Amino acid sequence: MSNKKRIIFIINPISGTQKKDDFPELIDQMLDHSKFDIELRFTEYRGHAAEIARQSAADGIDVVVAVGGDGTVNEVARSLVHTNTALGIIPCGSGNGLARHLCIPIDVRGSLQLINNCAIESFDYGVIKLP
């Protein structure tokens, strides 16, 4: 039985300003294959990241990585609340507010290296409802 973690990258191809065509190759090169079994999925429409994340958690995937901006991260994160699936972030949006707040490197290589460390931390979340 493998001790590898199952990890899925949910890539939003239209977030931010940079193209994501080279991401599969970069992920393959940089991620530690002795630690992870890797799957990549590209979103195809609004809400698709949430669907993929929900199904991944239901399937027992260990880590779901949102590759995109704050909208993509929000879709993925809210789908993983109250599951045992960890959230990873590769910030590729125009603002990357949550990633900056969490001190996640804004460059792709730096954020992939952070994922290789696989140091999973818990944190609370909140919901603000406006009238």
Side-chain angles (χ1 to χ4, degrees):
M1 183 163 154
S2 174
N3 288 332
K4 289 183 177 182
K5 292 195 179 300
R6 295 187 313 160
I7 187 169
I8 183 168
F9 289 81
I10 301 175
I11 303 168
N12 181 343
I14 61 170
S15 66
T17 56
Q18 68 187 93
K19 291 193 180 283
K20 315 286 183 316
D21 298 340
D22 60 341
F23 272 48
E25 184 178 336
L26 188 59
I27 290 167
D28 186 56
Q29 287 174 358
M30 291 205 59
L31 220 62
D32 186 341
H33 291 270
S34 70
K35 292 181 181 179
F36 299 105
D37 284 325
I38 304 161
E39 182 180 344
L40 307 173
R41 296 280 304 273
F42 282 86
T43 60
E44 298 172 8
Y45 48 85
R46 183 180 301 274
H48 195 204
E51 291 174 19
I52 297 168
R54 256 190 311 277
Q55 188 59 55
S56 296
D59 292 344
I61 298 295
D62 298 298
V63 182
V64 173
V65 180
V67 182
D70 288 327
T72 305
V73 172
N74 184 22
E75 275 191 46
V76 172
R78 72 173 182 247
S79 300
L80 300 180
V81 171
H82 302 301
T83 73
N84 291 322
T85 301
L87 168 68
I89 300 172
I90 296 182
C92 296
S94 53
N96 304 309
L98 181 60
R100 289 178 192 277
H101 181 75
L102 296 174
C103 299
I104 294 172
I106 299 304
D107 67 288
V108 174
R109 291 179 182 277
S111 56
L112 281 169
Q113 189 53 50
L114 191 62
I115 290 169
N116 267 335
N117 295 341
C118 203
I120 298 173
E121 301 286 335
S122 295
F123 66 93
D124 289 333
Y125 70 96
V127 176
I128 298 173
K129 293 192 179 195
L130 301 176

